[in-house]
Amino acid sequence: MRNTVKITTAVLAAGALTLGLTACGSEKESGSDASGPLTVAASPVPHAEILNFVKDNLAEKAGLDLEVKEVTDYVTPNTSTEDGSVDANYFQTQAYLDDFNKKNGTHIVPAGDVHLEPLGLYSEKVKEADELKSGATIAIPNDTINEGRALQLLAANKIITIKEGVGFEATPSDITGNPKKLKFKELEAAQTPRALADVDAAVVNGNYAIGADLKPAEDALVLEAAEGNPHANFLAVKEGNEDDPRVKKLAELLTSDEVKKFIDDKYAGSVVAAF
């Protein structure tokens, strides 16, 4: 029951936000008055938390009027940035953005890397990955890039093997070796931590892990390596708005020493500054 209430609340919140952003879309278009507030759509954790730190501690002194819109899905931030309902977003990686632009005909571009959230494998049933039983079910994100990342994570830890060359576009059909005959349950990324009670393990994005009170650096059975990881999360805007002075100012603040200290102190390795 608790999980159902949480999921319903999240869906309703996302729906209400979508309606709110759509309602204001007609009044605010891409390339609008750069003297107004800068509105940024962001996942609640850690993106909105980092933005709110900037808003509360750095923005006013820098002359930036910053508004933060929390969004609980991976679609609304880009569609709202594309249609001008918001000025920017902060929630995604380059691989995810490339795939989203290709599939949706959007024109979103990066405006500065901020942090990395390592993807991890979590379980309420076992303490070590090698304790997973034959036929165990693992929940994985169902969007193209995060599913590929999840499978690459399992392959890197010798839990499965996958076809060479598929990279982060890997799907379960690309698995070439599965000695434990694991089953995979493909879910929306936000649902993977909520599925932990019903599956043997789940691969969870860092922001959703933190939002579910998991500590990636401590609780993950296996965790993506930070060094050389191409999946930094960044501030993004619609193409043509990269030189908006408000965007450039926010990008500067998000890569400041103060923000790096905030990330290091608050997340203790579960989120890592990418600058």
Side-chain angles (χ1 to χ4, degrees):
M1 178 63 70
R2 183 181 177 195
N3 284 345
T4 302
V5 171
K6 278 187 169 183
I7 292 171
T8 303
T9 301
V11 170
L12 289 174
L17 178 57
T18 301
L19 288 174
L21 293 176
T22 302
C24 67
S26 61
E27 298 176 4
K28 187 173 188 177
E29 299 179 354
S30 177
S32 58
D33 183 5
S35 65
L38 181 72
T39 304
V40 184
S43 299
V45 181
H47 309 79
E49 290 181 343
I50 295 171
L51 287 170
N52 282 320
F53 171 80
V54 170
K55 179 178 179 178
D56 294 341
N57 297 277
L58 306 174
E60 183 176 1
K61 184 178 179 181
L64 177 65
D65 187 357
L66 178 62
E67 292 184 2
V68 182
K69 299 281 189 181
E70 294 191 7
V71 185
T72 58
D73 68 273
Y74 281 175
V75 176
T76 304
N78 278 336
T79 56
S80 298
T81 303
E82 178 74 14
D83 69 22
S85 300
V86 299
D87 300 298
N89 67 60
Y90 172 32
F91 79 103
Q92 66 193 319
T93 66
Q94 185 67 59
Y96 178 83
L97 175 58
D98 290 344
D99 183 68
F100 189 95
N101 279 336
K102 180 179 179 180
K103 289 181 175 177
N104 295 279
T106 45
H107 308 83
I108 312 302
V109 296
D113 289 349
V114 183
H115 76 270
L116 170 72
E117 302 164 18
L119 208 68
L121 177 68
Y122 301 85
S123 176
E124 294 180 356
K125 311 291 195 304
V126 299
K127 299 294 185 183
E128 302 288 341
D130 59 11
E131 294 176 3
L132 287 167
K133 296 180 180 179
S134 180
T137 298
I138 298 181
I140 58 176
N142 65 2
D143 60 276
T144 303
I145 299 304
N146 285 306
E147 181 170 67
R149 285 178 70 186
L151 295 174
Q152 291 286 1
L153 171 67
L154 298 178
N157 287 276
K158 305 186 185 308
I159 297 170
I160 60 172
T161 58
I162 57 178
K163 189 183 303 180
E164 290 186 13
V166 293
F168 296 109
E169 294 186 357
T171 69
S173 65
D174 295 310
I175 295 173
T176 56
N178 186 0
K180 291 195 173 185
K181 298 180 173 59
L182 301 173
K183 301 173 184 176
F184 295 94
K185 187 172 184 178
E186 297 167 283
L187 300 172
E188 183 182 349
Q191 295 181 10
T192 54
R194 302 178 188 127
L196 279 169
D198 304 315
V199 298
D200 297 289
V203 179
V204 184
N205 291 69
N207 59 317
Y208 291 131
I210 297 167
D213 294 325
L214 295 167
K215 298 179 180 178
E218 299 175 13
D219 297 333
L221 306 183
V222 296
L223 193 66
E224 276 185 323
E227 186 175 350
N229 195 306
H231 297 291
N233 284 221
F234 49 75
L235 183 68
V237 298
K238 186 173 182 179
E239 188 175 8
N241 292 341
E242 303 94 317
D243 292 328
D244 182 324
R246 301 168 303 164
V247 171
K248 296 179 80 170
K249 178 57 66 176
L250 178 57
E252 290 176 8
L253 295 177
L254 283 171
T255 55
S256 64
D257 291 341
E258 293 88 343
V259 167
K260 185 178 187 307
K261 185 177 188 305
F262 172 77
I263 290 173
D264 290 346
D265 291 347
K266 183 171 181 63
Y267 302 111
S270 297
V271 176
V272 182
F275 55 90

